[in-house]
Amino acid sequence: MGNSAEIIFMNGYTPVGDMISISLCLVVIVLIQASYVSKKKSFLLFSSMVFLVVFASLSDILYHYFLAEPGLKSYAPIYVFRFLYHVFLFLILFIYILYIIEVQQLEINKKKWIIILAAVGFFVVNLFDLIGTLKGFGFRIEGVNKVYERGQIFMFGYLFFVAIIMFVMIKYRKRLYAQVMTGFYGTMIISFLILLVQGRFNQSSFTTVTFVFPIIAMLYLIHSNPYDLSIGAVSISALEDMVKYNYKHNRDFIIMSMYLPDFDEEGLHFPTEIQAAIRKFTSSFFRGAVLFQISNGHVMLVADIIKNPDYENRMNQIINAFHNEYARYNYDYKIVMGKSLEEISKRNEYVSFINHIHRNLENNIIHFIEYDDVTSFNKQKYIIDELSDIYRRHDLDDPRIEVYCQPVYNIVKKKYDTAEALMRLNLPEVGLVFPDQFISLAEDFGYIHVLSLIILNKTCKAIRKMLVSGYEVKRISVNISVLELRDDHFCDDINKVIKDSAIPDEKIAIEITESQNESDFLIMKSKINELKEHGIKFYLDDFGTGYSNIERIMELPFDIIKFDRSLVIACGSNPKSEQMVGSLAGMFDEMDYSVLYEGVENDLDENRCIEMSAKYLQGYKYSRPIPIERLTEFFEKRGND
């Protein structure tokens, strides 16, 4: 090839730049293979640019190799590889435009003309370059190493594509996060500056390197989905991408979900020993498995069935290994595992599907996915959609919310003059839905306050109707979620509904369960005091279940303490329980709290509760929940005493 120093000087070129470009692209390819990357259309465009840079670099090396060869009999290889080099570079720029409008998610009418303009520019520039070479008015070679080029076609084409790219990025800059756009701008500016400096020193060695910088920006800003190094998991968005990809390519997979409720709170993380166990499980049992972090205490492992044809045996192995780990650490868990389901894959709803199963699963159970789970999930999804619609409409007379009531027997007056309002959903496709099927959903999705206002409104109207008809109604209680108290407008909303119904405030009582959360306790205290000023009564619901702090109860101005049915049952089977419950009830009675027992089912329960300072009794002995319109069957008309 002659003296290499002379070649570099004469051609203004060294292969170092192209070798760097190839090396960087190979590193990107390795990183893609070693990590989880979403298989979206933008990723396919990104991948094509990586390979095109490699092809462009190889073409540039071969072009200069043949250009520097003194004994070359034909200049054809020089012309071919130079032309291919430019085609590949322009193709990268063209695809870069497609990439930008893809990640910006431009509408078809906005991106159509951009694509057409870029495509026309691509063909015109390459055609002009080709014709110029063939006709001799563009690039040509005369003698050894005597290269002539007029018009600088490549630079004109480069500026044309850069102009389109900059226009699209500036015009639709709000379509992408500002920092992402800054990353794109920065790498393009660096690339352009390198080209200018290179031209100033009559160099061409680092042209392809400038095309690598935006690719690195794409990988880092758009396609990187870094592992959580502690457990080797990627994010929940990656799971959705994987499900979409597998469904599109008709590929079944195994899904294994582990939920550790002790760690599913903000700021908590798996202990070191659990992290080590999760890493071992991820890599030891399934080929090509990917772990996804759903929440702080929830991970999912997904593995391709094609890579794991013996998946059933592997599932048994992982279960056995898990039991060994559980014996060591003894944390509560919920595990769901099984094959992918076509219906759930199509809707890409595995997170909500698995969470639905978790919701209905006891702790320390391993559940295998069944089609009945899909039926149950579809029902829940329908209920959530209906709740969402109820919330959106905010119609306080929404017919889908029905009020049922359970009459409460007044021991002192020996009659029914109070009741508890109970919520029911009556939905077209599933009929009557009970609170245990939708209250927690309404709380999770933020719909509960609207439901409470609806039940309060309908209860107030029913009370108004009974009062006008001459019935004696002391009060009816309505259940309120602790979560509602966090709303700054809670008290105003309650007062407005009662005022609009034109009934006395004291005809309404609010039942609420004590909260363990310190901030909720303070809010509860403030809201109760504010509403009590209007005459509204308050019940402490479910006393004796879960968390009960006597000291805190004394700080809250409740009127009635409602003893849970579990205490009534315990008193019937254990004399010590009866003595303890009776002592607590007697203490509340002496402090001017009224005691209400719920869950009274027979005469024995009734007599026992009366002996334990009961003022009110509620339960199936007196009535099951009935539509509120039927309360007149229990309430008396005024003047009947």
Side-chain angles (χ1 to χ4, degrees):
M1 290 182 59
N3 187 286
S4 58
E6 183 182 6
I7 294 171
I8 293 172
F9 173 76
M10 293 177 65
N11 293 290
Y13 172 82
T14 173
V16 171
D18 285 313
M19 294 303 298
I20 292 174
S21 299
I22 294 173
S23 300
L24 289 174
C25 288
L26 292 177
V27 169
V28 169
I29 293 171
V30 169
L31 291 176
I32 291 172
Q33 295 299 316
S35 61
Y36 182 83
V37 182
S38 304
K39 303 298 191 299
K40 296 180 179 179
K41 182 179 179 181
S42 59
F43 173 72
L44 298 178
L45 294 171
F46 165 78
S47 301
S48 64
M49 283 186 278
V50 174
F51 286 102
L52 285 171
V53 169
V54 174
F55 296 150
S57 297
L58 291 173
S59 299
D60 197 27
I61 291 173
L62 291 171
Y63 157 60
H64 285 95
Y65 170 79
F66 287 111
L67 184 64
E69 186 63 43
L72 194 66
K73 296 180 180 180
S74 171
Y75 294 145
I78 299 175
Y79 288 118
V80 169
F81 285 112
R82 176 193 170 278
F83 180 71
L84 288 176
Y85 172 58
H86 285 178
V87 169
F88 287 139
L89 292 183
F90 288 136
L91 189 55
I92 292 169
L93 292 171
F94 174 70
I95 294 176
Y96 190 35
I97 293 172
L98 299 182
Y99 180 87
I100 292 296
I101 62 178
E102 176 65 25
V103 296
Q104 288 180 326
Q105 299 181 14
L106 295 187
E107 295 79 5
I108 185 64
N109 62 318
K110 293 180 179 178
K111 65 183 180 182
K112 183 178 179 180
W113 70 268
I114 299 174
I115 296 173
I116 292 174
L117 179 63
V120 170
F122 174 77
F123 286 109
V124 168
V125 169
N126 284 294
L127 182 62
F128 195 84
D129 189 22
L130 179 62
I131 294 174
T133 301
L134 294 175
K135 297 296 185 179
F137 62 82
F139 174 81
R140 71 182 190 277
I141 302 172
E142 296 181 1
V144 179
N145 295 328
K146 292 183 179 180
V147 177
Y148 298 91
E149 183 171 6
R150 296 179 182 176
Q152 291 293 322
I153 296 299
F154 173 77
M155 186 54 67
F156 284 118
Y158 180 84
L159 293 175
F160 170 78
F161 283 110
V162 168
I164 296 178
I165 292 169
M166 295 303 297
F167 171 80
V168 173
M169 292 177 68
I170 294 173
K171 174 72 173 178
Y172 304 107
R173 59 189 179 278
K174 294 183 179 180
R175 296 294 187 99
L176 284 180
Y177 186 48
Q179 275 75 354
V180 172
M181 295 301 292
T182 301
F184 282 147
Y185 290 143
T187 53
M188 290 184 64
I189 291 172
I190 292 172
S191 298
F192 192 70
L193 289 176
I194 290 176
L195 285 176
L196 289 178
V197 173
Q198 179 178 256
R200 174 66 179 81
F201 292 97
N202 195 29
Q203 263 284 337
S204 62
S205 304
F206 296 94
T207 301
T208 51
V209 175
T210 64
F211 284 73
V212 178
F213 296 153
I215 288 175
I216 294 174
M218 295 175 204
L219 178 65
Y220 184 80
L221 297 172
I222 306 294
H223 300 289
S224 64
N225 199 336
Y227 289 106
D228 179 334
L229 297 181
S230 62
I231 59 175
V234 291
S235 70
I236 188 174
S237 62
L239 173 62
E240 295 171 352
D241 292 332
M242 174 179 274
V243 171
K244 183 178 180 180
Y245 178 83
N246 285 338
Y247 178 75
K248 181 179 180 180
H249 293 84
N250 198 28
R251 298 175 67 168
D252 292 328
F253 54 90
I254 299 298
I255 188 165
M256 288 152 286
S257 165
M258 182 180 72
Y259 176 59
L260 302 182
D262 290 341
F263 306 103
D264 199 24
E265 294 183 17
E266 187 175 352
L268 293 183
H269 300 282
F270 292 124
T272 303
E273 66 272 15
I274 298 298
Q275 294 175 3
I278 291 174
R279 290 195 299 269
K280 183 181 73 174
F281 275 62
T282 302
S283 60
S284 301
F285 294 94
F286 289 90
R287 300 185 187 93
V290 180
L291 186 70
F292 301 93
Q293 182 95 47
I294 308 304
S295 66
N296 288 343
H298 187 190
V299 292
M300 286 190 194
L301 189 69
V302 176
D304 197 324
I305 288 182
I306 295 177
K307 297 179 181 178
N308 300 275
D310 56 340
Y311 67 89
E312 292 180 342
N313 180 49
R314 293 175 180 272
M315 288 172 68
N316 290 329
Q317 291 176 9
I318 202 171
I319 290 173
N320 292 333
F322 175 81
H323 284 310
N324 292 333
E325 296 292 335
Y326 176 69
R328 294 173 59 191
Y329 305 119
N330 207 33
Y331 291 113
D332 286 336
Y333 66 85
K334 295 181 181 181
I335 291 179
V336 177
M337 57 200 315
K339 285 181 60 176
S340 56
L341 299 169
E342 195 274 342
E343 183 175 348
I344 305 300
S345 293
K346 181 179 181 180
R347 302 195 319 234
N348 207 340
E349 293 180 335
Y350 279 99
V351 173
S352 52
F353 175 63
I354 297 297
N355 284 338
H356 164 73
I357 297 176
H358 284 167
R359 187 187 298 275
N360 300 307
L361 201 63
E362 298 292 334
N363 281 340
N364 307 322
I365 295 292
I366 296 178
H367 176 83
F368 289 88
I369 296 172
E370 303 171 345
Y371 277 100
D372 287 345
D373 295 323
V374 179
T375 301
S376 174
F377 173 65
N378 288 339
K379 179 180 178 181
Q380 176 186 280
K381 187 174 185 299
Y382 170 69
I383 291 172
I384 293 173
D385 290 342
E386 289 292 306
L387 290 174
S388 175
D389 186 63
I390 292 170
Y391 175 81
R392 180 179 58 81
R393 292 176 183 272
H394 207 288
D395 177 9
L396 298 188
D397 294 311
D398 197 305
R400 290 168 289 185
I401 302 292
E402 294 187 357
V403 184
Y404 277 61
C405 277
Q406 191 168 30
V408 175
Y409 186 66
N410 187 325
I411 297 296
V412 177
K413 293 186 177 181
K414 300 188 184 308
K415 64 181 180 181
Y416 302 96
D417 56 3
T418 67
E420 177 186 5
L422 302 167
M423 194 184 310
R424 301 286 188 268
L425 287 182
N426 197 341
L427 305 178
E429 293 186 12
V430 297
L432 208 61
V433 183
F434 292 91
D436 62 332
Q437 296 177 283
F438 70 87
I439 290 296
S440 61
L441 294 174
E443 290 179 332
D444 290 346
F445 285 89
Y447 305 145
I448 188 65
H449 185 50
V450 170
L451 299 187
S452 295
L453 293 179
I454 294 173
I455 198 78
L456 176 63
N457 175 64
K458 293 193 172 188
T459 299
C460 289
K461 287 186 174 181
I463 292 173
R464 172 70 178 169
K465 185 175 181 180
M466 285 187 281
L467 291 175
V468 170
S469 299
Y471 286 93
E472 183 179 345
V473 183
K474 187 173 183 179
R475 63 177 167 268
I476 296 179
S477 62
V478 175
N479 289 277
I480 294 294
S481 169
V482 173
L483 300 179
E484 297 179 61
L485 301 179
R486 300 172 185 171
D487 190 330
D488 293 337
H489 302 290
F490 172 77
C491 292
D492 292 337
D493 292 342
I494 298 295
N495 286 324
K496 184 178 187 307
V497 171
I498 298 174
K499 181 180 179 181
D500 289 347
S501 66
I503 65 169
D505 294 281
E506 64 269 16
K507 298 300 179 183
I508 285 294
I510 290 177
E511 295 195 21
I512 195 164
T513 304
E514 184 187 2
S515 172
Q516 185 175 356
N517 184 284
E518 178 68 25
S519 61
D520 282 344
F521 169 76
L522 296 175
I523 293 172
M524 180 187 297
K525 185 177 180 180
S526 171
K527 297 295 172 67
I528 290 177
N529 283 321
E530 182 176 345
L531 289 175
K532 280 184 69 69
E533 293 178 0
H534 294 268
I536 296 173
K537 302 292 184 182
F538 276 85
Y539 292 25
L540 173 62
D541 197 12
D542 296 333
F543 176 76
T545 63
Y547 176 83
S548 292
N549 186 315
I550 299 297
E551 182 181 355
R552 280 190 169 183
I553 291 174
M554 297 302 146
E555 291 187 47
L556 297 172
F558 288 111
D559 300 285
I560 294 176
I561 309 297
K562 193 170 184 178
F563 279 45
D564 188 73
R565 166 167 166 71
S566 62
L567 297 182
V568 177
I569 295 174
C571 291
S573 58
N574 188 331
K576 290 185 178 180
S577 296
E578 183 176 355
Q579 183 179 0
M580 183 178 294
V581 172
S583 298
L584 285 170
M587 178 190 68
F588 284 129
D589 183 60
E590 291 176 3
M591 299 177 67
D592 294 329
Y593 293 95
S594 295
V595 175
L596 186 159
Y597 289 95
E598 61 179 346
V600 178
E601 294 194 348
N602 51 51
D603 291 339
L604 291 175
D605 288 342
E606 180 182 70
N607 293 332
R608 193 180 301 110
C609 291
I610 291 175
E611 292 175 0
M612 295 188 299
S613 305
K615 288 293 190 295
Y616 299 96
L617 298 176
Q618 179 181 348
Y620 284 179
K621 170 178 168 51
Y622 312 105
S623 175
R624 291 178 178 272
I626 57 175
I628 194 169
E629 294 79 13
R630 289 183 53 196
L631 271 182
T632 54
E633 299 174 12
F634 293 84
F635 288 178
E636 297 180 359
K637 285 199 172 184
R638 289 186 293 273
N640 287 352
D641 293 340

